[in-house]
Amino acid sequence: MLGPDTAWYLVVAAFLFGIGALGVLIRRNPLIVLLSLELMLNGGNLALIAFSRHFHNGAGQIFGLTVMAVAASEVCVGLGLVVAINRKKLPLDVDRLSELRG
Amino acid sequence: MIVASAGNVVVWMVWLVAGFSCLASGVAVISFRNPFFSALALIGNLASLAVMYLLLNAEFVAAAQVLVYAGAVVVMFLFVIAYVGPRREEPWTGGPSWQTLGAVLAAGALLVEIVVAISLDAGHSLGHDGKVGPTFGSPAWIGRLFLVDHLLAFEITSVVLLIAAVGGVILGSHVRRVEPLTSEVAD
C-alpha cells in the first residue's frame, strides 16, 4: 500500500470526529449542529473505509454507504424540524428550544 | 524500486493536502457565524474526503460521497438556509459560561481517547498491508456485495430512507386546522 499507514487515516478520522463533536457541543444554531453531525458521521465513515482497505474486506465500504444513507435520512428529518421551528416563529437556538412542546 | 518510492512520495503529498484541507474545512464549518458559509465549507470537507477514499481504493464510495453529499445533502441545506433567512446567532446571554469550557474539555477528552487507542496499536496490526486485487472498490464489486452478501442491509436502508422522506414531508407540511363545527352551532 503506497502512502501512509491505516493509522494515519484513523488519526484524521479521529480529529474530524472531535471537531464535529466540538461543533455539536458549542454551537447553538440547529443548522450548524446538523452540519457538525455530518462531520462526525464522515469521520466514522473514513475510519470504516480505512479498515475496509486494511483488512481487504468489503463490509466496511458497504457499512460506509449505509452510513451515508442514514446521514441523508437524518438531514431530511432535521431540516424538516428546522422548517417547522421557523414556521412557528420560534428562535433558532437549541438552548432556548429545550422544551419539547409545540 | 525508485518508481515505487516516487509513487509513495506522490501519494503522501496528496494525502497531506487532502488531510489538511479536510481538517481545515472542518474547523471552518464549526467556526463560521453564517450557516451559509458553513454549508459551503462542508463541500470542501466532502471533496477532500473523497480524495482520501480514492487513496483507499474505494472509488465507488468516493463517487457516492460526492453525489449524495455535495449533490443532495448540501443543496438541501442551502435551500433551508435560504428559506430560514439570514439569522445571526445571538451572543450568549443566559446560562453559565462553564458550559462552553465543559464542551471544549469533553470534545478534547474524546479526541485524546481515540488517538491514544489508535497509537497503542499503530506499530503492530495497523502497519503496512499488502496489495489488494484490481476489483477492490469497483462498482461491480460493490454491487455484488450489496445484492448478494448484504441484501438485508440494502433493503433496510431503503426502508429507512423512505420513512425519513415521509417524516420530512410531514414535518414540513402546513398544518391546516379544521375549525370545529360546534362553535358555529353555538353562535
Side-chain angles (χ1 to χ4, degrees):
Chain A
M1 179 178 175
L2 292 177
D5 288 351
T6 308
W8 290 103
Y9 288 97
L10 293 181
V11 168
V12 172
F15 271 94
L16 205 55
F17 190 87
I19 291 169
L22 185 64
V24 169
L25 288 170
I26 65 172
R27 293 306 298 261
R28 301 196 307 285
N29 189 332
L31 286 165
I32 296 186
V33 170
L34 281 174
L35 287 170
S36 307
L37 270 175
E38 295 295 319
L39 287 183
M40 293 175 76
L41 286 166
N42 275 322
N45 247 351
L46 181 58
L48 279 173
I49 287 166
F51 276 122
S52 167
R53 173 70 177 74
H54 186 77
F55 293 112
H56 301 199
N57 187 339
Q61 293 193 15
I62 299 295
F63 202 168
L65 289 167
T66 311
V67 168
M68 263 180 220
V70 171
S73 319
E74 165 248 319
V75 164
C76 183
V77 174
L79 291 181
L81 277 174
V82 170
V83 169
I85 289 167
N86 187 56
R87 182 169 297 135
K88 286 183 171 293
K89 310 279 187 228
L90 291 171
L92 277 183
D93 186 335
V94 292
D95 281 337
R96 286 202 267 164
L97 292 169
S98 55
E99 293 178 1
L100 289 175
R101 294 179 60 225
Chain B
M1 200 60 207
I2 292 170
V3 175
S5 63
N8 202 17
V9 169
V10 170
V11 172
W12 261 103
M13 284 171 64
V14 172
W15 183 84
L16 282 176
V17 171
F20 180 77
S21 63
C22 177
L23 294 181
S25 56
V27 170
V29 167
I30 70 163
S31 55
F32 275 126
R33 287 243 159 255
N34 191 339
F36 190 81
F37 294 132
S38 294
L40 291 183
L42 189 69
I43 295 179
N45 192 312
L46 301 173
S48 49
L49 271 175
V51 172
M52 286 205 161
Y53 293 166
L54 284 179
L55 292 182
L56 285 167
N57 296 74
E59 293 91 3
F60 182 76
V61 182
Q65 163 96 357
V66 173
L67 284 177
V68 171
Y69 272 109
V73 170
V74 174
V75 170
M76 201 152 70
F77 261 106
L78 291 178
F79 269 120
V80 170
I81 290 166
Y83 173 73
V84 168
R87 291 201 197 181
R88 295 196 163 273
E89 200 164 314
E90 290 144 30
W92 180 252
T93 51
S97 62
W98 54 262
Q99 281 185 349
T100 307
L101 184 66
V104 173
L105 284 179
L110 200 60
L111 178 62
V112 167
E113 186 184 345
I114 301 172
V115 171
V116 165
I118 294 167
S119 63
L120 286 181
D121 210 22
H124 312 292
S125 58
L126 291 181
H128 273 289
D129 52 356
K131 284 187 178 302
V132 290
T135 60
F136 187 85
S138 67
W141 182 77
I142 292 274
R144 183 176 299 279
L145 274 178
F146 244 141
L147 295 176
V148 176
D149 294 348
H150 301 281
L151 185 61
L152 183 65
F154 185 68
E155 297 295 339
I156 291 175
T157 305
S158 63
V159 172
V160 167
L161 270 174
L162 179 67
I163 294 172
V166 172
V169 168
I170 290 175
L171 280 171
S173 65
H174 283 281
V175 180
R176 294 189 182 80
R177 294 190 188 284
V178 180
E179 292 297 325
L181 290 173
T182 51
S183 61
E184 287 184 17
V185 172
D187 288 341

